């Protein structure tokens, strides 16, 4: 929960995003946060709701396989503001194609796995006493 200044501690952000405190510090060092992390009078990191929202975008991009240098580049473009939309679009299109290729590969894998499940379900249901299954 945000404090009276409307900011969150690093532990609170870690809890909300599922990232570790170490990962949050790493993301800060790597330059993937859209805004500089603010500090309180004691030097402790303070995050805004906007920071949490941006981190959520970074998490989704990372989980979908976007390399960290591309996330950093995307962040730099966002920081630059208007006029960078075409480059941001190009970056997202390239990543979308990568994700679509991953989905296609996973679909092929799932098809094979579903086939094997069917083979073994049939084998267990009809030949449960037989120790060997010819299809491997």
């Amino acid at each position: 929960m945000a404090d009276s200044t409307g900011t969150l501690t690093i532990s609170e952000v870690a809890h909300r995003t599922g990232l570790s405190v170490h990962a949050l510090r790493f993301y800060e060092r790597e330059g993937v946060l859209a805004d500089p992390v603010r500090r309180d009078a004691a030097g402790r990191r303070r995050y805004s709701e906007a920071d949490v929202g941006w981190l959520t975008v970074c998490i989704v991009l990372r989980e979908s396989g976007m390399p960290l240098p591309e996330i950093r580049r995307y962040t730099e473009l966002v920081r630059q503001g208007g006029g960078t939309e075409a480059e941001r679009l190009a970056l997202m299109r390239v990543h979308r194609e990568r994700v679509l290729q991953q989905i296609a590969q996973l679909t092929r894998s799932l098809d094979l796995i579903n086939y094997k499940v069917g083979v073994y379900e049939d084998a267990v249901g009809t030949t449960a006493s037989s120790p060997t299954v010819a299809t491997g």
Side-chain angles (χ1 to χ4, degrees):
M1 172 177 278
D3 68 4
S4 62
T5 65
T7 62
L8 304 159
T9 67
I10 194 167
S11 296
E12 290 167 329
V13 173
H15 179 73
R16 287 189 43 191
T17 62
L19 294 172
S20 68
V21 169
H22 174 76
L24 287 167
R25 289 182 184 127
F26 174 77
Y27 273 19
E28 181 182 354
R29 280 192 312 274
E30 290 298 311
V32 298
L33 298 178
D35 296 311
V37 176
R38 287 159 304 288
R39 305 278 180 151
D40 65 14
R44 292 180 298 255
R45 289 170 175 83
R46 301 303 298 185
Y47 296 85
S48 68
E49 290 296 332
D51 294 329
V52 173
W54 182 256
L55 282 163
T56 301
V57 170
C58 292
I59 290 165
V60 169
L61 293 174
R62 192 71 192 109
E63 287 175 344
S64 66
M66 183 179 273
L68 198 56
E70 286 183 29
I71 296 173
R72 185 180 311 110
R73 179 64 187 144
Y74 181 64
T75 302
E76 290 167 358
L77 293 169
V78 169
R79 280 188 203 131
Q80 291 172 26
T84 63
E85 292 83 3
E87 196 172 344
R88 288 187 241 172
L89 174 60
L91 203 151
M92 286 296 157
R93 282 182 170 162
V94 167
H95 186 60
R96 178 179 62 188
E97 186 56 37
R98 240 187 340 253
V99 170
L100 288 170
Q101 289 172 6
Q102 291 172 1
I103 290 169
Q105 179 58 49
L106 285 170
T107 299
R108 288 188 297 273
S109 298
L110 183 59
D111 288 345
L112 174 70
I113 292 165
N114 283 335
Y115 169 76
K116 287 303 209 176
V117 166
V119 166
Y120 293 122
E121 285 175 344
D122 289 347
V124 168
T126 58
T127 60
S129 61
S130 173
T132 60
V133 177
T135 59

